[in-house]
C-alpha cells in the first residue's frame, strides 16, 4: 500500500468497500484507490457497488466513489457510470460538485465521449455567477488541463475567464487562468490587448510571488512579448517583465525564485535573445550557484545565449568549476586559458598528489553526472554551427586537453554490453566525446593541426604514465586521439615516443573498439618512424629498426587471438606484415662506407604507402544515407540463392588451408632475401601508391598476403571490381575481394550501370552545414568564415569521401546501412511508444480526437438541435391533428365525450413528456388548454377554443411554426390564430 | 496536473504515496528511492525543485512535440518539514511556485487537524492523511486550497483521532506520540511566504 504489493487483497478490499458502515467503507475505498489498477479483475464486480454509492443520500458516501474513480477508471466503467455521475454535477453540496467535475475530466481522458455529455453542464456551472467559488476554481483547473489540448473550444468562453481573472480575487485560480490564456492568445491576437492592462496591473500590485511569476510567464508563453502594432506598450511590458525577473535572479533572493526566473528566461531566450543577453551578468552568477538544479538551468540558458564574444568567458567559468571540483590544482588565473603546454607537462608530476587532494577539498565534489553534463555542454557550445563561435582554436585545444583529465572515469563496463549497445555507450563516455572534438579540430582545421597533434601526443604520453601507476581504465578519449596521432604522425614532435607510449598503453585497453583503432595507429606510427628513405641504411638503424619491429610484434602477438574479430584481424595482418618486413630488413645488408645500400623497400615504400592515400575528410552526419541505392538493387534479396552452401564450402576450403603446414613452413622458414628485393616485385610495389585506395581496411584485409601477391591480385581485380557497389566512394580502381555479390550485381544490372558515376558529391552538399553550403560545390574544402587575427587562413574541410566516415573502422556498406536504418526506425518507433507510455503520464491524447467539444456553435450540435426541432415540430403536428379530431368528436358527441377525451389527453401528455423533456412549457400549455377545454366543453365551444389558443400561442410562436399551422387549421381555428 | 504526491521521512520510508496514474509496485518503490536519493542530498538552502529522477527523465533522443511534453511529468517539487519530505510530481500545467504553496496548505491542514502534527500522527492516522489529500486533489487536479474548507471536509468524514490515540491502540501510540511531540516545526522553517 505504501509501496508494498497488495494485489492479493483485491477481493477483500471489494468486500470492505461494500460494507454498510461508513468507516469501513472508507477504508475499503482507500484500499481500492491505492491498490486497484484498471486491469484488476474484481473491478468488474465493483461497478454496481459504485453505482449504488454514487446514488447514496449521504454526501460523504457519495464522495467516496467520486474520489476513487480517477484511480480505477476504465472505458467500460466510464460508459456504465457516466449516467450516474452526471446528476452529481448539480448536487446541493459544492464539495460533491467540484469533485464530480474533476472525475468527469478523468473519465473523459479514457472515454472522450463523456466530456461531450458533461460539458454543457460543466459550462453551465462555470457561467453561473452564483456558483460556489471553489467549484468555479475546480472547473477552471480542469479547463486549464483541457485547454492546451483543444484551445479552440474554449475561445468562446474567454470573456467569462477574463471576468474571473479580473474580479476573481483567488490567486490560485488566477494562476490557472493566466496559464489558460497563454494557450489561447496565439489563436486570438485580440485577446492580447485586452489582457495586457490586467496583467501589468497584477504584476505591479500583487503581493503573491507565484502570481507575479505566472503573470510574467503567461506574457512570455502567450507570445505577448512578440512584435506587434502597439510597440511602445509591448516594450514597456517586456522591460517590466525582464526587470522583475532580473530581480528574482539577483544574488540575494530566494533560490526558488532564482530557479523559476531562470525557467522564464529559458523561454524568453528562444524568441528574444537580446533581452536575456542584457542580463548576462546575473545569469552567469547563477552558474556558480551552489545549487546544482539552478546551475543546470543557468547552463541551459547560457547555451542559448552563447556568442563569439562571451564564449571564452563562459567556458572559463565552467572550467574553473570543473577544476575546482576535480580538486585539481590551485586556482589558475583564467582557468584553462593560461594552461598551456608547458604547465601541462609540469602538472604531470603532481598528477598523483592531485588525486589525494580530491577528498580533502573544501567544496563538495560535483557529481559525475553533472560533470559529464557540463563537459558535454562546453563541447556543444564550442562546436556549435561548425565552430562558428570559436575564435581561438589554440585556446580550445588547451581546454580539450584539460577536459580529458577532468572527465570522470566511466564506470567499468563489460565487453558484452559494449558490443550489444555501442550507441548507448557513446552517450555515456564523455571522454570519448572530448577526444572526438580534438580529432575533429585536427581534421577540419588544417592550420591548427600541428597544435592539435601535439596536444594528442601530450595526452597519450600522460595517459601512459598515469595508467601504469594508478588508473586501470583507459578513457575512451584514447580512441580518437590515437587516430590523430597515427594519421598525422608527420606532425608529431617525437613519433618514437608516441609509438613507445602507445605500445605501452595497448596492452591495458579493454574496449575492443579503442583497441582496434590503437593497433592501426601503432602501425601508422611505425610507418612514419621506420619508413624514412632519406636516412642511410646504417647498421645502427638496422638494429634499431629490427628491435622496434620485434617489440611491436611482441606487443601485437597476444591480440592475434583476441575475441573481438576486428582486433584479431588487424593484429594478425600487422604481425604478418611486420614479420615479412623484419625478414626483409634482416636480409638487407647495412651500408658500409664503401657500399651505399638502401633500406628495404618494403620498409620505406610499401608500409608507408599503405597509409598515404588521400587525406581523409570529415563526412557530414547522415551523408551515407544519401547514397542512392541503384535501381534494381534489392537489398533484401539473398546475395546468392545458395549462399549458405557457398560459405560452408568456403569454410571447408579455408580451414585446412589455414592450418596447412605449407603456410607455416612458408612463414617460419627463412626466405632467401632475394625473394623480396627482386626486381619485378619491387617495381610493382613502387607503383602501389597509385592504386592504394583511400581506405586502410581494404589494404589491410589483404596484408596477410605477400606483397607481390597483393599487387598482382589488385591489378587483376581492378578491372573486375570497378562497379562493385561496396567501393563506390573511391574513384580509383580500388581493390576488393571477389564476392558473389559482385557477380550477381553484374548480372542483374548489366554493363550499363556505372556505379562510379553516382553523384555522391552533390548529395553530400545538401547535408552539409552552413559554412560548407556556401562553398563552391566542386571543392570539398570550404573556406571558413573570415575570422579576425591569424585565423584567416584556416580552412575547415567538411565534406568528403563517402565510404569512410572519419575514424570509423567499420566499412559502411549499403547492406549495413540498410539494416542500420531499419533498426533505427524501429528504435525510434519504440522510443516514441515508450514516450507515450511514460511513467506517471496521464495520456490525454484521446481528447485530441474528440472532434467537437462543447461550445454552442459546433456543427454537430447544431445539427442535433435541428433534428430535435424537427422532431418537436412533427410532434406538434400530431398533437394538432389529434386536437382537430377531438374537436370534431366533441362537436358530434357533446354529451358523452368527456371521459374519452380525458384518456386521450393523458396519453398525449405522456408521450410528449417522454419524447422531449425540454418542452415542459409547451406541454403545460397543452395540458392547461385541454383541461380548460374539459371544463368549458359544455359552456361553449368558441370561447374555449379561443382561450386555449391563447395559452398555446407563446409556445408555438417560439418555435416559429405559425405559417404551417395556419395552412393546416380549418377555418375557425385559422381565424382564431390570426386574431392572436 | 499533479502526477503523484508522496510523503516520506528522512530515512526514505514512505508515509503516503498517491499516484494519480497506476504504477507497478516495484516501479513505485524505485521511483521513491530515486527521488529520495535526490532529495536527501540537498542542503536546506537549496531551491525546492529537483531535477527529474532517471526513471522519469525523457529519453534523450526523443523529439516529441510540445503537446506531448505537456503531458509528461516535468517538475518535481519538494518541501522538507522536520523529519518529513513532501514531494509533488507534476506536469508543466502546474505552476511551480503554486505547488510549493500547495504543500504548505497541505501541511497546514494536517496541522490543524492533528494540532501540532508529527510523523507519528501520520503513521497511525494514514486514513486522515489520505482524506486530507483527497479534499485538496482529486485525480491529479487541485480542487481546494482553502485550509478551512479542507479541514471542514475532512472532519465531515468522521472524527480525526488525536494523540493520545483513541481506543485499542491508545496505549502504544499515545506513549510514543507524547514522547516525540516535536511536531513538524510548523511556522519555523518556512522558506517561502509567497502566497
Amino acid at each position: 500500500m505504501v509501496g508494498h504489493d497488495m494485489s492479493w487483497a483485491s477481493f477483500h478490499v471489494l468486500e470492505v468497500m461494500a460494507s454498510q458502515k461508513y468507516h469501513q467503507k472508507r477504508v475499503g475505498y482507500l484500499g481500492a484507490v491505492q491498490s486497484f489498477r484498471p486491469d484488476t479483475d474484481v473491478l468488474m464486480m465493483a461497478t454496481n457497488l459504485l453505482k449504488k454509492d454514487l446514488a447514496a443520500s449521504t454526501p460523504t458516501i457519495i464522495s467516496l466513489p467520486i474520489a476513487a474513480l480517477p484511480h480505477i477508471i476504465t472505458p467500460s466503467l466510464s460508459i456504465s457510470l457516466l449516467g450516474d455521475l452526471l446528476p452529481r454535477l448539480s448536487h446541493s453540496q459544492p464539495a460533491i460538485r467540484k469533485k464530480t467535475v474533476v472525475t468527469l475530466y478523468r473519465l473523459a481522458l479514457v472515454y472522450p465521449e463523456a466530456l461531450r455529455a458533461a460539458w454543457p453542464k460543466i459550462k453551465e456551472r462555470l457561467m453561473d455567477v452564483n456558483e460556489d467559488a471553489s467549484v468555479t476554481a475546480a472547473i477552471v483547473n480542469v479547463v486549464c488541463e483541457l485547454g492546451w489540448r483543444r484551445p479552440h473550444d474554449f475561445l468562446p468562453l474567454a470573456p467569462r475567464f477574463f471576468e474571473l481573472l479580473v474580479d476573481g480575487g483567488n490567486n490560485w485560480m488566477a494562476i490557472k487562468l493566466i496559464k489558460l490564456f497563454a494557450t489561447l492568445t496565439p489563436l486570438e491576437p485580440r485577446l492580447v490587448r485586452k489582457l495586457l492592462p490586467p496583467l501589468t496591473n497584477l504584476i505591479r500590485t500583487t503581493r503573491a510571488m507565484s502570481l507575479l511569476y505566472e503573470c510574467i510567464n503567461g506574457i512570455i508563453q502567450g507570445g505577448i512579448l512578440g512584435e506587434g502594432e502597439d510597440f511602445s506598450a509591448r516594450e514597456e511590458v517586456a522591460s517590466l517583465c525582464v526587470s522583475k525577473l532580473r530581480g528574482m535572479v539577483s544574488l540575494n533572493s530566494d533560490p526558488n525564485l532564482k530557479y523559476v526566473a531562470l525557467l522564464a528566461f529559458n523561454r524568453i531566450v528562444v524568441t528574444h535573445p537580446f533581452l536575456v543577453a542584457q542580463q548576462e551578468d546575473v545569469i552567469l552568477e547563477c552558474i556558480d550557484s551552489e545549487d546544482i538544479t539552478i546551475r543546470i538551468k543557468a547552463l541551459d540558458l547560457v547555451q542559448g545565449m552563447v556568442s563569439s564574444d562571451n564564449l571564452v568567458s563562459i567556458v572559463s567559468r565552467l572550467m574553473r568549476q570543473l577544476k575546482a571540483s576535480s580538486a585539481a590544482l590551485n586556482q589558475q588565473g583564467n582557468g584553462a586559458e593560461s594552461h598551456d603546454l608547458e604547465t601541462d607537462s609540469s602538472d604531470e608530476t603532481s598528477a598523483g598528489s592531485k588525486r589525494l587532494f580530491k577528498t580533502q577539498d573544501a567544496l563538495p565534489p560535483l557529481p559525475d553526472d553533472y560533470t559529464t553534463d557540463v563537459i558535454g555542454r562546453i563541447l556543444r557550445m564550442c562546436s556549435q554551427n561548425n565552430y562558428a563561435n570559436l575564435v581561438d582554436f589554440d585556446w580550445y585545444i588547451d581546454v580539450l586537453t584539460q577536459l580529458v583529465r577532468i572527465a570522470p572515469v566511466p564506470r567499468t563496463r563489460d565487453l558484452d554490453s559494449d558490443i550489444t549497445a555501442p550507441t548507448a555507450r557513446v552517450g555515456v563516455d564523455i571522454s570519448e566525446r572530448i577526444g572526438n572534438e580534438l580529432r575533429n579540430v585536427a581534421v577540419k582545421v588544417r592550420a591548427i593541426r600541428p597544435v592539435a597533434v601535439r596536444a594528442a601526443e601530450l595526452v597519450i604520453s600522460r595517459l601512459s604514465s598515469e595508467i601504469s601507476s594508478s588508473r586501470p581504465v583507459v578513457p575512451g578519449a584514447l580512441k580518437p586521439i590515437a587516430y590523430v596521432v597515427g594519421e598525422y604522425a608527420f606532425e608529431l614532435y617525437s613519433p618514437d615516443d608516441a609509438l613507445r607510449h602507445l605500445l605501452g598503453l595497448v596492452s591495458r585497453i579493454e574496449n575492443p573498439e579503442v583497441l582496434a583503432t590503437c593497433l592501426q595507429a601503432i602501425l601508422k606510427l611505425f610507418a612514419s618512424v621506420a619508413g624514412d628513405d632519406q636516412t642511410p641504411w646504417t647498421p645502427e638503424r638496422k638494429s634499431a629498426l629490427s628491435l622496434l619491429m620485434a617489440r611491436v610484434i611482441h606487443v601485437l602477438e597476444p591480440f592475434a587471438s583476441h575475441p573481438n574479430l576486428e582486433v584479431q584481424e588487424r593484429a594478425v595482418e600487422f604481425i604478418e606484415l611486420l614479420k615479412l618486413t623484419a625478414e626483409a630488413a634482416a636480409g638487407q645488408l647495412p651500408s658500409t662506407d664503401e657500399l651505399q645500400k638502401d633500406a628495404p623497400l618494403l620498409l620505406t615504400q610499401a608500409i608507408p604507402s599503405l597509409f598515404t592515400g588521400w587525406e581523409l575528410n570529415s563526412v557530414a552526419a547522415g551523408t551515407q544515407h544519401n547514397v542512392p541505392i541503384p535501381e534494381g538493387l534489392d537489398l533484401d534479396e539473398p546475395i546468392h540463392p545458395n549462399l549458405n552452401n557457398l560459405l560452408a564450402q568456403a569454410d571447408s576450403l579455408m580451414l585446412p588451408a589455414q592450418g596447412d603446414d605449407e603456410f607455416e613452413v612458408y612463414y617460419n622458414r627463412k626466405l632467401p632475401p632475394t625473394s623480396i628485393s627482386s626486381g619485378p616485385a619491387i617495381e610493382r610495389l613502387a607503383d602501389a601508391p597509385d592504386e592504394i585506395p583511400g581506405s586502410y581496411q581494404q589494404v589491410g584485409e589483404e596484408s596477410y598476403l605477400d606483397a607481390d601477391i597483393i599487387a598482382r591480385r589488385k591489378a587483376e581485380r581492378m578491372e573486375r571490381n570497378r562497379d562493385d557497389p561496396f567501393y563506390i566512394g573511391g574513384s580509383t580502381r580500388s581493390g576488393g575481394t571477389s564476392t558473389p555479390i559482385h557477380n550477381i550485381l553484374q548480372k542483374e544490372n548489366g554493363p550499363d550501370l556505372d556505379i562510379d558515376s553516382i553523384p555522391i558529391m552533390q548529395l553530400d552538399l545538401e547535408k552539409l552545414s552552413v559554412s560548407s553550403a556556401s562553398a563552391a560545390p566542386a571543392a570539398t574544402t570550404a573556406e571558413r568564415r573570415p575570422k579576425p587575427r591569424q585565423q584567416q587562413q584556416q580552412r575547415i574541410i567538411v565534406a568528403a569521401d563517402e565510404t569512410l566516415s572519419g575514424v570509423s573502422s567499420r566499412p559502411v556498406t549499403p547492406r549495413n546501412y540498410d539494416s542500420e536504418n531499419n533498426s533505427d526506425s524501429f528504435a525510434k518507433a519504440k522510443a516514441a511508444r515508450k514516450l507515450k507510455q511514460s511513467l506517471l503520464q496521464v495520456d490525454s491524447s484521446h481528447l485530441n480526437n474528440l472532434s467537437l467539444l462543447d461550445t454552442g456553435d459546433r456543427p454537430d450540435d447544431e445539427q442535433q438541435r435541428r433534428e430535435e426541432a424537427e422532431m418537436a415540430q412533427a410532434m406538434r403536428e400530431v398533437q394538432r391533428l389529434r386536437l382537430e379530431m377531438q374537436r370534431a368528436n366533441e362537436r358530434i358527441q357533446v354529451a358523452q365525450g368527456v371521459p374519452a377525451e380525458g384518456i386521450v389527453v393523458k396519453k398525449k401528455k405522456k408521450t410528449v413528456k417522454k419524447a422531449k423533456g425540454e418542452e415542459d412549457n409547451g406541454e403545460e400549455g397543452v395540458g392547461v388548454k385541454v383541461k380548460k377545454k374539459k371544463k368549458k366543453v359544455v359552456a361553449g365551444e368558441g370561447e374555449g377554443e379561443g382561450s386555449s389558443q391563447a395559452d398555446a400561442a407563446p409556445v408555438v410562436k417560439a418555435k416559429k411554426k405559425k405559417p404551417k399551422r395556419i395552412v393546416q387549421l380549418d377555418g375557425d381555428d385559422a381565424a382564431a390564430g390570426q386574431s392572436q | 496536473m499533479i502526477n503523484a504526491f508522496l510523503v516520506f521521512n528522512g530515512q526514505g520510508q514512505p508515509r503516503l504515496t498517491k499516484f494519480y496514474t497506476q504504477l507497478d509496485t516495484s516501479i513505485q518503490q524505485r521511483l521513491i528511492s530515486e527521488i529520495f536519493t535526490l532529495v536527501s542530498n540537498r542542503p536546506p538552502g537549496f531551491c525546492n525543485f529537483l531535477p527529474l529522477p532517471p526513471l522519469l527523465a525523457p529519453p534523450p533522443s526523443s523529439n516529441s512535440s510540445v503537446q506531448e511534453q505537456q503531458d509528461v511529468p516535468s517538475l518535481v517539487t519538494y518541501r522538507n518539514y522536520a523529519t518529513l519530505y513532501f514531494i509533488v510530481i507534476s506536469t508543466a500545467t502546474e505552476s511551480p511556485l503554486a505547488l510549493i504553496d500547495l504543500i504548505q496548505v497541505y501541511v497546514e491542514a494536517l496541522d490543524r487537524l492533528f494540532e501540532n502534527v508529527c510523523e507519528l500522527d501520520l503513521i497511525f492516522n494514514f486514513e486522515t492523511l489520505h482524506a486530507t489529500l483527497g479534499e485538496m486533489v482529486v485525480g491529479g487536479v487541485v480542487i481546494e486550497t482553502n485550509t478551512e474548507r479542507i479541514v471542514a471536509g475532512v472532519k465531515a468524514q468522521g472524527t480525526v483521532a488525536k494523540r493520545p490515540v483513541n481506543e485499542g491502540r491508545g496505549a502504544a501510540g499515545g506513549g510514543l506520540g507524547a514522547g516525540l511531540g516535536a511536531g513538524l516545526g510548523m511556522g519555523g522553517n518556512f522558506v517561502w511566504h509567497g502566497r
Side-chain angles (χ1 to χ4, degrees), chain A residues 342-389:
Chain A
E342 281 72 32
T343 51
D344 274 355
S345 48
S346 68
D347 290 345
E348 280 182 47
T349 51
S350 59
S353 54
K354 225 202 267 183
R355 263 168 196 77
L356 287 179
F357 288 144
K358 191 168 183 174
T359 46
Q360 306 161 1
D361 200 55
L363 285 173
L366 297 169
D368 274 2
D369 287 348
Y370 175 74
T371 317
T372 311
D373 190 39
V374 170
I375 294 176
R377 281 168 205 269
I378 292 178
L379 298 183
R380 233 171 296 146
M381 275 190 272
C382 292
S383 59
Q384 236 170 31
N385 293 332
N386 210 7
Y387 303 99
N389 289 328

Side-chain angles (χ1 to χ4, degrees), chain A residues 932-948:
Chain A
K932 273 184 186 167
K933 202 160 57 186
K934 273 194 246 166
K935 280 178 201 162
K936 292 179 184 174
V937 148
V938 193
E941 275 176 24
E943 220 185 316
E945 289 292 340
S947 66
S948 72

Side-chain angles (χ1 to χ4, degrees), chain A residues 360-668:
Chain A
Q360 306 161 1
D361 200 55
L363 285 173
L366 297 169
D368 274 2
D369 287 348
Y370 175 74
T371 317
T372 311
D373 190 39
V374 170
I375 294 176
R377 281 168 205 269
I378 292 178
L379 298 183
R380 233 171 296 146
M381 275 190 272
C382 292
S383 59
Q384 236 170 31
N385 293 332
N386 210 7
Y387 303 99
N389 289 328
L390 203 56
V391 176
D392 187 352
F393 276 92
D394 289 297
W395 167 79
Y396 186 43
I397 284 172
D398 293 341
V399 168
L400 288 177
T401 30
Q402 181 64 38
L403 283 180
V404 170
R405 286 165 209 191
I406 293 173
V409 181
R411 273 153 245 117
T412 23
R413 315 167 302 247
D414 52 336
L415 294 177
D416 294 337
S417 72
D418 269 349
I419 292 161
T420 51
T423 46
R425 194 185 49 77
V426 168
V428 173
D429 195 348
I430 192 72
S431 173
E432 183 171 341
R433 281 179 60 195
I434 303 168
N436 283 339
E437 275 302 307
L438 192 61
R439 183 200 61 207
N440 286 352
V441 173
V443 172
K444 285 188 171 184
V445 192
R446 203 184 286 267
I448 215 73
R449 189 173 294 162
V451 186
V453 175
R454 294 285 165 76
E457 193 178 1
L458 189 81
V459 169
I460 286 199
S461 71
R462 192 187 156 87
L463 276 178
S464 76
S465 68
E466 263 179 26
I467 275 178
S468 50
S469 56
S470 56
R471 255 205 299 206
V473 185
V474 177
L478 188 58
K479 180 181 162 191
I481 284 175
Y483 170 80
V484 169
V485 169
E487 183 67 17
Y488 305 113
F490 52 90
E491 303 271 18
L492 286 175
Y493 183 68
S494 152
D496 297 285
D497 285 344
L499 181 56
R500 196 160 45 79
H501 291 312
L502 211 49
L503 283 174
L505 280 174
V506 141
S507 58
R508 291 189 173 80
I509 301 173
E510 285 170 350
N511 186 339
E513 273 180 51
V514 179
L515 197 52
T517 314
C518 284
L519 293 185
Q520 196 85 36
I522 285 176
L523 203 69
K524 284 186 202 170
L525 279 172
F526 174 77
S528 103
V529 168
D532 184 5
D533 55 355
Q534 304 304 317
T535 339
W537 182 244
T538 57
E540 296 81 46
R541 192 175 170 215
K542 186 184 168 184
S543 53
L545 279 184
S546 15
L547 272 175
L548 186 59
M549 281 188 273
R551 169 132 198 249
V552 174
I553 291 173
H554 173 75
V555 170
L556 293 186
E557 213 114 56
F559 297 116
S561 54
H562 194 275
N564 184 286
L565 282 182
E566 185 70 34
V567 175
Q568 189 184 7
E569 186 189 5
R570 291 186 191 201
V572 171
E573 283 166 6
F574 297 154
I575 289 170
E576 298 306 326
L577 189 61
L578 284 173
K579 276 182 180 166
L580 263 178
T581 317
E583 283 158 17
Q588 184 84 326
L589 291 173
S591 49
T592 51
D593 287 341
E594 58 271 17
L595 184 63
Q596 192 72 20
K597 282 264 190 180
D598 283 338
L601 283 178
L602 192 56
L603 198 61
T604 57
Q605 301 274 325
I607 294 185
S609 71
L610 293 180
F611 303 117
T612 52
W614 286 304
E615 179 160 347
L616 297 177
N617 297 324
S618 58
V619 178
T623 314
Q624 181 65 40
H625 291 211
N626 282 345
V627 178
I629 297 175
E631 267 181 59
L633 173 65
D634 183 4
L635 291 173
D636 294 327
E637 187 188 343
I639 294 172
H640 187 277
N642 208 3
L643 181 67
N644 284 341
N645 250 353
L646 274 185
L647 287 176
Q649 275 177 19
D651 275 351
S652 58
L653 281 176
M654 289 289 284
L655 281 174
Q658 268 178 351
D660 207 335
D661 283 5
E662 245 182 75
F663 271 85
E664 280 189 35
V665 169
Y666 182 71
Y667 282 124
N668 293 335

Side-chain angles (χ1 to χ4, degrees), chain A residues 652-893:
Chain A
S652 58
L653 281 176
M654 289 289 284
L655 281 174
Q658 268 178 351
D660 207 335
D661 283 5
E662 245 182 75
F663 271 85
E664 280 189 35
V665 169
Y666 182 71
Y667 282 124
N668 293 335
R669 194 183 51 199
K670 200 172 163 76
L671 285 179
T674 48
S675 72
I676 296 297
S677 51
S678 67
I682 285 167
E683 295 241 342
R684 275 188 215 133
L685 280 175
D687 291 342
D690 293 340
E691 297 163 9
I692 296 292
S695 153
Y696 305 140
Q697 287 80 32
Q698 290 159 25
V699 178
E701 274 163 20
E702 302 189 31
S703 58
Y704 58 88
L705 292 171
D706 264 345
D708 52 341
I709 300 179
I710 296 176
R712 205 183 59 239
R713 281 177 60 173
K714 211 172 274 166
E716 277 173 21
R717 290 198 198 118
M718 205 165 63
E719 205 55 32
R720 275 198 291 151
N721 286 348
R722 62 189 311 174
D723 50 1
D724 189 320
F726 284 18
Y727 298 102
I728 34 180
S731 56
T732 43
R733 316 273 172 263
S734 58
T737 46
S738 173
T739 56
I741 293 178
H742 167 250
N743 295 332
I744 290 168
L745 269 181
Q746 237 178 4
K747 268 183 226 148
E748 295 263 324
N749 299 324
D752 39 7
L753 174 73
D754 186 4
I755 293 174
D756 286 337
S757 67
I758 293 167
I760 294 155
M761 299 314 279
Q762 286 169 16
L763 275 167
D764 196 12
L765 284 167
E766 294 172 6
K767 274 268 177 174
L768 289 182
S769 51
V770 189
S771 64
S772 66
S774 60
T780 55
T781 62
E783 186 72 38
R784 226 178 111 58
R785 214 173 289 184
K787 284 284 168 201
R789 292 192 278 138
Q790 82 279 24
Q791 248 63 33
Q792 268 154 353
Q793 80 279 23
Q794 284 182 0
R795 282 164 164 267
I796 289 202
I797 299 154
V798 207
D801 205 327
E802 286 292 320
T803 48
L804 292 179
S805 53
V807 77
S808 160
S809 51
R810 286 158 294 180
V812 186
T813 65
R815 186 84 191 153
N816 249 357
Y817 150 66
D818 189 43
S819 59
E820 253 171 38
N821 194 33
N822 283 345
S823 65
D824 261 17
S825 57
F826 180 66
K828 254 180 230 159
K830 227 166 100 180
R833 221 177 310 137
K834 205 181 164 191
L835 185 84
K836 274 213 162 165
Q837 297 166 351
S838 158
L839 266 186
L840 283 178
Q841 177 184 340
V842 178
D843 188 12
S844 63
S845 55
H846 298 305
L847 286 178
N848 268 354
N849 308 329
L850 182 66
S851 55
L852 24 102
L853 260 182
D854 47 272
T855 56
D857 50 15
R858 62 186 189 188
D860 259 29
D861 193 56
E862 202 112 281
Q863 198 184 346
Q864 203 181 334
R865 209 170 277 177
R866 224 177 298 127
E867 277 170 10
E868 278 170 11
E870 269 170 26
M871 191 68 181
Q873 188 186 337
M875 290 296 294
R876 221 158 289 122
E877 294 305 326
V878 172
Q879 253 173 292
R880 198 143 297 285
L881 285 175
R882 276 189 184 166
L883 274 176
E884 295 306 317
M885 287 166 74
Q886 278 169 29
R887 278 172 207 146
N889 265 353
E890 283 161 15
R891 279 179 208 129
I892 295 164
Q893 14 175 307

Side-chain angles (χ1 to χ4, degrees), chain B:
Chain B
M1 64 176 289
I2 293 171
N3 296 93
F5 199 112
L6 310 172
V7 179
F8 48 69
N9 68 4
Q11 282 84 50
Q13 293 163 321
R15 294 291 172 232
L16 167 101
T17 59
K18 190 76 121 186
F19 292 93
Y20 292 100
T21 42
Q22 294 300 335
L23 291 181
D24 280 342
T25 315
S26 60
I27 296 179
Q28 287 185 5
Q29 286 168 346
R30 250 177 73 201
L31 191 62
I32 290 172
S33 75
E34 273 181 8
I35 292 179
F36 175 70
T37 348
L38 286 174
V39 156
S40 57
N41 286 332
R42 291 177 75 83
F46 281 18
C47 73
N48 291 4
F49 306 101
L50 292 177
L52 280 181
L55 208 56
L56 292 180
S61 58
S62 71
N63 46 353
S64 55
S65 66
V66 184
Q67 288 227 325
E68 274 176 9
Q69 281 166 8
Q70 289 259 34
D71 245 358
V72 181
S74 60
L75 195 63
V76 183
T77 315
Y78 80 98
R79 282 196 86 160
N80 179 18
Y81 291 96
T83 56
L84 291 177
Y85 289 101
F86 292 74
I87 282 99
V88 179
I89 305 173
S90 66
T91 63
T93 49
E94 297 293 330
S95 162
L97 296 180
L99 285 179
I100 298 182
D101 289 347
L102 188 74
I103 299 177
Q104 173 74 25
V105 169
Y106 183 56
V107 176
E108 271 176 31
L110 288 178
D111 195 53
R112 287 274 292 280
L113 286 163
F114 288 113
E115 290 167 11
N116 205 6
V117 65
C118 75
E119 194 183 337
L120 267 192
D121 289 325
L122 309 190
I123 296 171
F124 288 114
N125 297 292
F126 64 89
E127 295 167 40
T128 314
L129 204 58
H130 281 281
T132 314
L133 188 58
E135 288 296 311
M136 295 173 65
V137 182
V138 169
V141 179
V142 179
I143 55 162
E144 186 57 79
T145 50
N146 183 332
T147 325
E148 301 286 339
R149 282 165 172 270
I150 296 166
V151 172
V154 177
K155 283 187 173 159
Q157 295 184 18
T159 50
V160 177
K162 295 206 180 74
R163 271 175 285 126
V165 186
N166 54 4
E167 291 149 14
R169 47 182 141 89
L176 280 174
L180 192 80
L184 291 181
M186 288 293 304
N189 56 353
F190 288 173
V191 187
W192 173 249
H193 296 285
R195 194 168 48 90

